[in-house]
Amino acid sequence: MEPHNPASEYFTSYEDLEIHKLMLEDDPRTSAYKNAIMSNKAFFEGKVVMDVGCGTGILSIFCAQAGAKKVYAIEASKIAGLAKEIVKENKFEDVIEVIHSKVEDVQLPGNNKVDAIVSEWMGFYLLHEGMLDSVIMARDKFLKEDGEMFPESATIYLSPCSVPSLYKKWDDFHGVSMAALAKQFRTSKYNKPEILNVQAEDVLGCDEVALCWINLKEDTVSDLDSYSIQHVVGANKDGAFQGLCIWFECVFPDLSDNANHNPVRLDTGPLSTPTHWKQTVIILPEEQEVELGDPIAFQLEMCRDSVNKRRYNLQLSILDPEAVEHPLPCTCDLTKCLLIKSYMLQHPEESEKNAMETNGIEEEAIDDDDDMDSENDDS
Amino acid sequence: MEPHNPASEYFTSYEDLEIHKLMLEDDPRTSAYKNAIMSNKAFFEGKVVMDVGCGTGILSIFCAQAGAKKVYAIEASKIAGLAKEIVKENKFEDVIEVIHSKVEDVQLPGNNKVDAIVSEWMGFYLLHEGMLDSVIMARDKFLKEDGEMFPESATIYLSPCSVPSLYKKWDDFHGVSMAALAKQFRTSKYNKPEILNVQAEDVLGCDEVALCWINLKEDTVSDLDSYSIQHVVGANKDGAFQGLCIWFECVFPDLSDNANHNPVRLDTGPLSTPTHWKQTVIILPEEQEVELGDPIAFQLEMCRDSVNKRRYNLQLSILDPEAVEHPLPCTCDLTKCLLIKSYMLQHPEESEKNAMETNGIEEEAIDDDDDMDSENDDS
């Protein structure tokens, strides 16, 4: 299937190799996959696995170490040649079959199906330049009915944040005022989200909100075409609202018989150990000062690019908190939301029912309490 | 001299702006210039200064803050427009004149001369992609006879080192052997020195050696064409010789009347706070195990590229320590060098004289002690 490549031809570029090094050295990433696989040894024992986009082959080797009897390691790029060498070096050439091909073109012998698909397909803010489409295609073609996906779900989270590296610190930088420079930075980033590590103390929302939850076992390629949310969150302190921070979390199956299910999670958020994905921040052209409890209202649309299907376009709108519906309960301190929170505390059963009805993107206003609505009108 | 540029035209690319941010945020760099200028306020008071390649203008502003009566801030790229805004924002438009031009094309009114040239011209391993040629040209054309250069000297240092990120750690990486990958990394870097932060514990030489010392007040452009050194150093511990680490230090004038001269230094070596220059490492294709005191002999040639004059080519040769002259004294533990060290300890006056005669690149062998030479032959 693949011609013999001398070592110098494994890569299209020096940069490709650097990217694989960066990913391998991303310890939360590599450790999450290792832990997810090794903690499910009882599942992997004797199973057939497919690794979609195996790169250097490390995830395939984890599966073999966990007891898989066969691993199809699919890799479209020339690094497949190196994966073969690494498989051999680890003496798994009888278990792992490296296939140098796009997964779309792969045919397994006898139309074999696999018990699990392992893949590290995530891009910046989960979907950007990722390869989830290929993984879903592989799932529909190769995964047994009751097969497992590693990871099995993924969530994109959002939170308002401060970005001091592009704002405040330039007001007095070594005794020099560099506001013009900072403005230039922000202008240059207005159409290009910034990839950076947001510090925990720069998170400005009382809580994060999920833009979407992706079920890797069921969602289809067209489910990934666009996501949208309108949300209001209270500021968790006095500060400057300077950007919207986007990150993701992946959850792996816990197939153990253990009653205390504790699935492995790969969390790339600002409160976790930094990863090579860092966080993605849409920088506001002008900051907004906020005080503790102030409502921050925004709308984010994430849509697949019509030309390059592996890219997504982000559209952030900052909204008037008075003019939009607030979640139930809401973390902001507008009078209406404080009253609802207090009401829900006093009527836990009823409020739970309400929350189930109204939570989510298309939530309805609560119309059963005129006082609250008039409070909203007044505030 | 310069048409009005709207903000969006200051830069040829988003990447240019990122580089200026990186340089400004390099605290050892920015602080060294600030300290060097502010600790010489008595000198700068009322002086005329030229800032060659002013970028965002921060060094010019430091000079104005230190009391300069006039600063010519020369910048060839479009960022000159932003420097003008920043100068204005700091209310120094009457002192600092930003000139959007290559320094080679600048004419000062009345063929004015300047009292000092301030410039941050350093590239990777000092000279690579730097702009020292332009600074020397500016010095010869614009600096008064007794004028000052900030910095006034620069030294390139070398030391053998370990590079665990490309060697050992891949032998057992999360329980997987990835020797083939590590070999591929090293092959890809064989013709391209690696820019990385060498950890202090990975420095392998008993001491550093200077490849060259550049006198910014006197050296000419042709002095920079090539540098070469042959050297032997003892290993400071048992370890793996995996690369040659290259860095530089710049020294600024101390013009104070204070008797305790303590010039500001910008040291980019592996024992100092990391800078954006990091260190440059020439990676060996195969490591060499060494024990404490073992001699490590090498030759390095650094020559200006014949096509792109701002680039340098590095040629490293690992030599047989038995076949080359050792420095005097030498940190290695070959019998000859141990005997010389012991002799020098017993005859401090004579050895000091010898050291003065023999130190440097073209050192002579010591011929006045036949025993030592024969020891060398035996060892």
Side-chain angles (χ1 to χ4, degrees), chain A residues 255-276:
Chain A
L255 306 167
S256 62
D257 294 332
N258 195 319
N260 299 325
H261 272 226
N262 188 17
V264 172
R265 294 165 185 276
L266 171 54
D267 176 9
T268 67
L271 305 184
S272 295
T273 307
T275 70
H276 79 283

Side-chain angles (χ1 to χ4, degrees), chain A residues 7 11 14 18 24-25 27 31 34 65 85 89-90 169 173-175 177-181 184 189 194, chain B residues 7 11 14 18 24-25 27 31 34 65 89-90 169 173-175 177-181 184 189 194:
Chain A
F11 310 102
Y14 169 83
E18 284 294 308
L24 287 165
E25 288 177 335
D27 196 65
S31 293
K34 181 173 183 175
Q65 288 174 336
E85 280 195 37
E89 177 181 336
N90 289 275
K169 84 169 178 191
F173 185 77
H174 291 270
S177 170
M178 304 196 93
L181 178 70
Q184 191 72 30
K189 288 173 201 303
E194 176 80 348
Chain B
F11 311 102
Y14 171 81
E18 283 294 308
L24 287 165
E25 289 177 335
D27 196 64
S31 293
K34 181 173 182 176
Q65 288 173 335
E89 177 181 337
N90 288 275
K169 84 167 179 195
F173 184 77
H174 291 269
S177 171
M178 304 198 93
L181 177 70
Q184 191 71 30
K189 288 173 200 303
E194 176 80 347

Side-chain angles (χ1 to χ4, degrees), chain A residues 175-205:
Chain A
V176 175
S177 170
M178 304 196 93
L181 178 70
K183 190 170 181 192
Q184 191 72 30
F185 286 147
R186 297 193 298 268
T187 305
S188 76
K189 288 173 201 303
Y190 191 45
N191 287 314
K192 184 177 184 296
E194 176 80 348
I195 309 295
L196 54 78
N197 283 313
V198 172
Q199 301 302 305
E201 67 264 28
D202 294 326
V203 173
L204 205 60

Side-chain angles (χ1 to χ4, degrees), chain A residues 163-303:
Chain A
V163 194
S165 64
L166 293 177
Y167 271 95
K168 279 286 172 248
K169 84 169 178 191
W170 300 101
D171 288 357
D172 177 359
F173 185 77
H174 291 270
V176 175
S177 170
M178 304 196 93
L181 178 70
K183 190 170 181 192
Q184 191 72 30
F185 286 147
R186 297 193 298 268
T187 305
S188 76
K189 288 173 201 303
Y190 191 45
N191 287 314
K192 184 177 184 296
E194 176 80 348
I195 309 295
L196 54 78
N197 283 313
V198 172
Q199 301 302 305
E201 67 264 28
D202 294 326
V203 173
L204 205 60
C206 272
D207 54 15
E208 63 213 25
V209 59
L211 169 67
C212 61
W213 181 80
I214 299 175
N215 181 341
L216 273 293
K217 284 175 140 177
E218 292 181 5
D219 285 6
T220 64
V221 168
S222 65
D223 286 336
L224 311 175
D225 285 345
S226 79
Y227 297 100
S228 174
I229 194 171
Q230 183 181 300
H231 190 66
V232 185
V233 62
N236 63 357
K237 58 181 160 191
D238 296 357
F241 172 35
Q242 297 165 337
L244 186 75
C245 178
I246 312 175
W247 70 93
F248 65 88
E249 183 185 56
C250 288
V251 180
F252 294 85
D254 178 355
L255 306 167
S256 62
D257 294 332
N258 195 319
N260 299 325
H261 272 226
N262 188 17
V264 172
R265 294 165 185 276
L266 171 54
D267 176 9
T268 67
L271 305 184
S272 295
T273 307
T275 70
H276 79 283
W277 290 284
K278 303 182 180 178
Q279 289 89 41
T280 299
V281 181
I282 305 177
I283 308 289
L284 304 191
E286 295 298 332
E287 65 187 332
Q288 293 183 9
E289 293 297 329
V290 293
E291 289 179 7
L292 173 65
D294 277 358
I296 298 173
F298 60 86
Q299 178 172 315
L300 181 71
E301 291 177 17
M302 183 184 290
C303 299

